[in-house]
Amino acid sequence: MTPSDASGNRWSDLDRPPLNAAALRRGLVRPGGLWTSLDVVQRTGSTNTDLAGSGGDEGAVLVAEEQSAGRGRLDRTWTAPPRSGLFFSVRLTPGPGVPAERWGWLPLLAGVATATALSRAAGVDTALKWPNDLLVTVDGAERKTGGILAERAGDSVVVGIGLNVSLRADELPVPAAGSLALAGAKVLDRDPLLRAVLRSLEEWYESWRAAGGDPAGCRLQEAYTAGCATLGRSVRAELPGGRELVGEAVAVDGDGRLVLATADGVQEPVGAGDIVHLRPAGA
């Protein structure tokens, strides 16, 4: 294929080179490691949908240069220009050694792993908004730069991660969005960023699985709590069924639920819902 300025050509934006699938496989897929395969596709609807429907072994990684129907929580769409971010899914099979009731920690684990990797590889302070958003600071304001979606697929869980890397201000889908570029990241090359995230995810996952999924035993609960920007804030939880709950986010419990202290003195755990930050932490 020759370089061209034609729309849709994968070489049309030379500031956003394609991922090197062969080099990524050499660096990440190894005997005895978690990652068993790694494929990069130019365009797909949703890597989560594709990987969930394909079956296959644990450790499969599917990366898309562009998603036309990427999904976030609550069926929200996730779209971005080609090669402007990292959009990928992984298949994890915790096995009988981890009780199914602890599998709900996997999206939180992915958040900790991603935030840890971005701090090391890109020099960006990434905070976690419960349950699965990744926040960076742009011009003094918190902006969502990534999200995580975990879905059950038979005896496995498919975890999808979307991360805005090089999006410019005029490309943001909504004003509250951000990107690593806008947050001043030292590294925007997606190859080392993807390697860093997958290696961090492997470390956290293997530690969690070795602990039988106990989030305290592998220090996952401690790490998530330390990096969670939701804690200490007044928040509104928009719950399934249209119910709302307002209170201060005071803890993340052993089941990964956000605990809210309400005005009437009750501490109520929230296991699912949309969280709206009502004031900055410490304000």
Side-chain angles (χ1 to χ4, degrees):
M1 184 178 295
T2 57
S4 169
D5 289 332
S7 176
N9 187 299
R10 71 190 190 115
W11 293 101
S12 60
D13 188 343
L14 297 181
D15 288 333
R16 292 170 173 163
L19 292 165
N20 188 330
L24 288 167
R25 279 192 287 270
R26 286 195 300 270
L28 292 163
V29 178
R30 67 187 192 283
L34 174 61
W35 308 122
T36 53
S37 66
L38 189 150
D39 294 299
V40 178
V41 297
Q42 293 306 309
R43 192 173 191 268
T44 190
S46 162
T47 56
N48 256 37
T49 298
D50 292 350
L51 202 57
S54 66
D57 297 330
E58 178 177 46
V61 181
L62 178 62
V63 190
E65 296 283 30
E66 180 185 10
Q67 287 191 121
S68 60
R71 293 176 292 123
R73 291 182 61 252
L74 308 178
D75 292 325
R76 292 171 178 148
T77 58
W78 180 287
T79 59
R83 304 178 307 282
S84 66
L86 289 173
F87 319 111
F88 64 98
S89 298
V90 302
R91 177 183 293 275
L92 301 175
T93 309
V98 179
E101 58 267 23
R102 288 179 170 170
W103 291 17
W105 271 95
L106 282 172
L108 280 69
L109 182 153
V112 169
T114 302
T116 302
L118 294 179
S119 176
R120 293 173 180 168
V124 172
D125 184 17
T126 308
L128 303 168
K129 178 187 173 189
W130 188 92
N132 55 8
D133 287 348
L134 298 159
L135 306 177
V136 295
T137 301
V138 178
D139 296 330
E142 281 183 344
R143 302 283 188 86
K144 178 179 175 179
T145 195
I148 296 162
L149 179 66
E151 299 177 290
R152 186 76 178 261
D155 62 351
S156 299
V157 176
V158 172
V159 179
I161 299 175
L163 184 66
N164 293 336
V165 176
S166 65
L167 264 74
R168 300 177 282 268
D170 61 350
E171 295 175 318
L172 296 175
V174 294
S179 70
L180 298 185
L182 294 174
K186 297 177 182 177
V187 174
L188 296 178
D189 185 339
R190 294 179 303 141
D191 280 73
L193 291 177
L194 180 58
R195 293 183 198 212
V197 172
L198 287 173
R199 285 169 177 159
S200 181
L201 183 55
E202 179 176 8
E203 290 174 7
W204 278 104
Y205 176 70
E206 296 292 11
S207 177
W208 173 79
R209 185 161 60 177
D214 178 6
C218 65
R219 304 188 70 177
L220 173 59
Q221 186 175 4
E222 176 186 346
Y224 189 89
T225 297
C228 183
T230 303
L231 294 177
R233 282 181 146 128
S234 176
V235 304
R236 181 175 69 251
E238 299 173 351
L239 306 175
R243 179 171 168 248
E244 291 188 351
L245 181 67
V246 174
E248 181 181 354
V250 295
V252 175
D253 70 11
D255 294 320
R257 300 176 300 180
L258 184 68
V259 180
L260 300 188
T262 64
D264 55 8
V266 175
Q267 291 200 353
E268 185 167 341
V270 174
D274 204 23
I275 299 297
V276 178
H277 290 173
L278 299 180
R279 62 171 173 80

